[in-house]
Amino acid sequence: MISLRSTPARLVLGAGVFALTLAVAAGAGAETGAHLSSKQPYREPDAATLAGYTHAPDGYTPLLTESVARHGSRGLSEYKYDALLTRLSETALAENGFVSPEIGQRFLADLRGITAANVQNGYGQLTGQGATQHQGLGERAVARNAALFAQAEKDGDRIIAETSGEARATESGTNFLAGVTKAGAGALTRGITPEPRPDLLYFHKSQNPDGTTKPAGSPELARAQAYEAYVAAQTAPGGTISAALDYINALPRSVSAADDVLSGIFTPDFIAKIGTPGHVWYNTVDGTKKGAVSCAPGADPAKDKSACGSPKKVIATPVDAAMTLYNLYIIGADMTAENTGDHTFDFGSYLNGRDADLEWFASLLDAEDFYEKGPGLAGHDDTYRVAQPLLDDFFATIDDRMAGDNVAATFRFAHAETIIPFAALLKLPGSTRQAPDNAHPQSLNDVFDYTNNPWRGESVTPMAANVQWDVSGRVGTDPATGRAFTPLVRMLYNEREIGFTDACVPVAAGSTWYKVSELKHCLNGAERIEDPRIAAAPVDPTASPDPTSAPDPTAVPTASPAPTSAAPTNTASTDPAATGPSSAKPSARPAAAGALASTGLEAENLMPLALLASSALLLGALAVGWFVLRRRRLEESETEL
């Protein structure tokens, strides 16, 4: 395996107290026991996490907040898994292939129940659980940035909501805004609806959610086509990803897990027939390869196009059958509000006590996402480079705000296909290690596997997964640069405060706040134009800089982690296809005034930093020994934080 970055524990120092913040991407930990892969429902942060957010250094006030989030919990994306198992079960019923008539009747009833629930809710649509998830995200975003939203309302600033254009993403945005309103910022949400931005948030496909194709000759079309071509080539016969997935699915563990699960439902003779003539089922009305398109009973295809599934989907092996059942099991966790009345279902009952099998199936599902959307193959960045325009938009939003833009918050709503590559691009916890580029795998060491890679769908991209940046600024002139103070950024991953990649130097040792100039350097390859640290002594924002004492802007501070050249690479591309469209937003305030002018912060009232600096030095000395020992233990356990 190629380690892209190890993520050490970071000591967070604030208000004279230091605390250890574990950078756990999922929030409640990667291991839940349910093994739901990317269908893991969102786990809200606990009270201690919410209370433990650090403050920006003294003198800095809230300037902006922005985020990108996956849609919330949804139902089945289309009539597919339920359709395929229905065709298989019809054959089993005719051939006495169920272990008992009772099991057969119960299994068919569960299939009818989950189909009816999706017909009523709409295939691929947000469930009640998904709506609640985003309402909570909106409420907590306001609570965390109460001062920012209060000032924005006072100044007449506004917020922006953007969506991929897919219905479930748009509905997620609508519910998020409802949460913002509920939290008391309704003046900012009045009249706001999520704006479709498929160029920015649906970058993985040439075709947009509304059926249109991205504009001919546009950078977004070129990017999407390049990504699609790469995945098509790699997953075709002879491709490395194809070879890796074939190897993983053909492992004896895959076959034994499938047999273990299916044997509780179907007879050994019937299981043995799967894949033989007459026992291969396509997603068609009669289950044959050339059969008519199959649509869910009771659905209106004119209103729900996803109620009719792709005829190319097939069950051709026992592993296919078991994975199809597993996919119904994991989506059930996101449909608790719909699993009621005359359309109840319980696919977990067929998997009780089979935790090892569930974990294996999760790893099979994760392998596909990892290879096609995530860190992928060593030496390749095609699977996550496609997310570069989204990162550029995060930076452009900050630049616009500093130039006087009146947008105080930008919220974006998209998909796992957006979050997964974005996490790899940022080298977030869990998305730090690639798999070997080996077209002829001979062992697990040659492919993605839970034993050699920390990537987990349930923690990298659960339902409603999100990346949020909070930005703070300071009025006046930085004497070290002779320019306006550079704004600071801190990141939340699924609402847990974490540091950026080790290549980025924070404003102080152990801090989770970074100068935006430093982030542009370490994430985008821009030149380092200033010292990434903040001086420990008080500075007079009106003083003229002393050129003889100004630090070397290219010097890497010895007290902070040294930048490393860790892959995935994040250098900005000069390829036109990698350059996103301008994301500049109209400004309602003169640029000269700047976004900080409305904060009311007077330079002469800034709190001196001397006391804080002394406390930091003392606490830092006490913490060093403990931190080193703790880091060694973490590294020895190979735990990805």
Side-chain angles (χ1 to χ4, degrees):
M1 290 300 100
I2 297 177
S3 178
L4 305 186
R5 183 199 73 173
S6 61
T7 307
R10 288 176 167 82
L11 294 177
V12 179
L13 183 62
V17 179
F18 79 90
L20 181 65
T21 299
L22 295 181
V24 179
E31 298 300 327
T32 65
H35 305 299
L36 300 174
S37 186
S38 61
K39 304 307 183 292
Q40 169 68 49
Y42 190 69
R43 294 188 290 272
E44 296 182 4
D46 58 22
T49 298
L50 296 176
Y53 293 145
T54 62
H55 297 289
D58 285 347
Y60 288 81
T61 57
L63 176 68
L64 167 74
T65 188
E66 58 177 324
S67 65
V68 61
R70 184 188 182 188
H71 58 73
S73 289
R74 60 164 173 81
L76 291 170
S77 60
E78 65 177 23
Y79 186 49
K80 177 172 55 178
Y81 303 123
D82 47 344
L84 287 168
L85 276 183
T86 297
R87 299 290 88 80
L88 181 152
S89 296
E90 289 169 348
T91 303
L93 192 63
E95 298 179 359
N96 294 318
F98 285 102
V99 293
S100 71
E102 292 77 18
I103 288 289
Q105 292 301 322
R106 180 159 65 89
F107 193 71
L108 283 165
D110 284 329
L111 289 169
R112 289 192 296 270
I114 196 169
T115 295
N118 278 280
V119 167
Q120 183 177 53
N121 188 65
Y123 277 87
Q125 300 305 300
L126 210 65
T127 60
Q129 189 169 302
T132 300
Q133 289 162 354
H134 273 280
Q135 290 166 15
L137 280 169
E139 289 185 58
R140 292 189 295 277
V142 173
R144 188 179 74 249
N145 294 286
L148 170 67
F149 283 94
Q151 190 66 48
E153 183 173 345
K154 179 180 178 181
D155 293 343
D157 286 349
R158 59 197 179 100
I159 64 175
I160 285 179
E162 298 175 331
T163 169
S164 69
E166 188 79 62
R168 56 182 171 269
T170 302
E171 192 175 356
S172 294
T174 300
N175 279 280
F176 183 97
L177 294 175
V180 171
T181 298
K182 183 179 179 181
L188 297 173
T189 61
R190 193 171 298 119
I192 300 295
T193 57
E195 172 191 357
R197 286 293 307 276
D199 58 317
L200 187 66
L201 300 171
Y202 206 73
F203 46 65
H204 61 291
K205 286 188 178 181
S206 300
Q207 190 175 65
N208 297 323
D210 64 1
T212 62
T213 300
K214 290 178 169 58
S218 65
E220 54 264 32
L221 178 61
R223 279 191 302 272
Q225 289 176 333
Y227 168 74
E228 290 171 328
Y230 172 80
V231 172
Q234 286 285 357
T235 57
T240 301
I241 293 178
S242 176
L245 294 177
D246 286 347
Y247 177 84
I248 295 168
N249 282 283
L251 286 169
R253 183 71 184 89
S254 299
V255 177
S256 63
D259 185 70
D260 186 33
V261 168
L262 296 177
S263 64
I265 307 170
F266 306 103
T267 65
D269 287 344
F270 185 79
I271 296 172
K273 291 179 182 178
I274 297 176
T276 64
H279 294 81
V280 173
W281 300 272
Y282 286 85
N283 187 15
T284 58
V285 171
D286 61 4
T288 64
K289 187 174 184 178
K290 296 184 179 180
V293 172
S294 180
C295 297
D300 183 354
K303 296 180 179 179
D304 185 359
K305 63 180 181 179
S306 297
C308 300
S310 169
K312 295 181 180 180
K313 303 298 181 182
V314 62
I315 291 178
T317 68
V319 175
D320 290 343
M323 285 300 293
T324 302
L325 173 59
Y326 172 73
N327 273 289
L328 292 183
Y329 158 71
I330 60 178
I331 203 65
D334 296 295
M335 299 184 63
T336 55
E338 292 71 31
N339 188 358
T340 185
D342 59 356
H343 42 66
T344 57
F345 51 90
D346 181 13
F347 291 98
S349 64
Y350 308 104
L351 300 165
N352 288 337
R354 293 184 167 89
D355 188 72
D357 293 335
L358 287 174
E359 184 179 30
W360 184 257
F361 292 148
S363 74
L364 296 183
L365 205 60
D366 281 355
E368 184 175 345
D369 284 340
F370 169 88
Y371 277 116
E372 297 183 14
K373 307 177 186 74
L377 299 172
H380 298 264
D381 63 359
D382 305 77
T383 52
Y384 57 85
R385 185 181 65 214
V386 69
Q388 182 65 45
L390 179 56
L391 177 58
D392 292 342
D393 193 63
F394 267 66
F395 285 129
T397 299
I398 299 172
D399 292 343
D400 290 346
R401 181 67 163 160
M402 288 301 294
D405 195 353
N406 69 341
V407 176
T410 296
F411 305 114
R412 308 169 183 88
F413 305 93
H415 306 268
E417 291 85 350
T418 314
I419 296 295
I420 295 174
F422 194 56
L425 185 66
L426 292 178
K427 297 186 280 292
L428 298 184
S431 296
T432 60
R433 189 174 299 169
Q434 294 181 296
D437 184 5
N438 189 335
H440 304 284
Q442 301 298 314
S443 73
L444 288 179
N445 290 330
D446 299 325
V447 296
F448 167 85
D449 183 71
Y450 276 5
T451 62
N452 58 37
N453 201 294
W455 200 96
R456 301 290 186 273
E458 66 182 12
S459 57
V460 171
T461 182
M463 295 294 185
N466 55 88
V467 177
Q468 304 187 45
W469 286 12
D470 292 332
V471 185
S472 288
R474 180 175 180 175
V475 298
T477 300
D478 186 343
T481 64
R483 302 184 300 270
F485 281 99
T486 301
L488 309 183
V489 179
R490 67 101 175 267
M491 177 167 59
L492 307 182
Y493 188 21
N494 296 333
E495 296 182 273
R496 279 79 186 175
E497 184 173 355
I498 65 171
F500 284 85
T501 169
D502 290 344
C504 303
V505 180
V507 297
S511 176
T512 53
W513 289 88
Y514 299 75
K515 290 184 179 180
V516 69
S517 58
E518 173 64 8
L519 296 180
K520 289 179 179 179
H521 165 70
C522 63
L523 298 178
N524 270 359
E527 179 183 359
R528 177 177 273 144
I529 61 173
E530 60 181 308
D531 192 320
R533 300 169 303 178
I534 291 179
V539 292
D540 180 0
T542 63
S544 300
D546 179 359
T548 63
S549 62
D552 178 359
T554 63
V556 177
T558 57
S560 300
T564 60
S565 55
T569 56
N570 291 305
T571 55
S573 173
T574 55
D575 181 352
T579 304
S582 171
S583 59
K585 302 175 179 66
S587 172
R589 186 160 58 234
L596 291 174
S598 63
T599 63
L601 178 66
E602 299 298 335
E604 59 267 29
N605 291 330
L606 295 176
M607 180 182 295
L609 298 179
L611 180 59
L612 179 60
S614 299
S615 299
L617 289 173
L618 176 60
L619 290 169
L622 293 173
V624 166
W626 181 90
F627 172 70
V628 171
L629 291 175
R630 177 61 177 162
R631 179 169 183 174
R632 287 176 180 170
R633 292 180 61 188
L634 289 172
E635 291 175 341
E636 290 170 357
S637 67
E638 296 183 355
T639 300
E640 191 74 22
L641 299 179

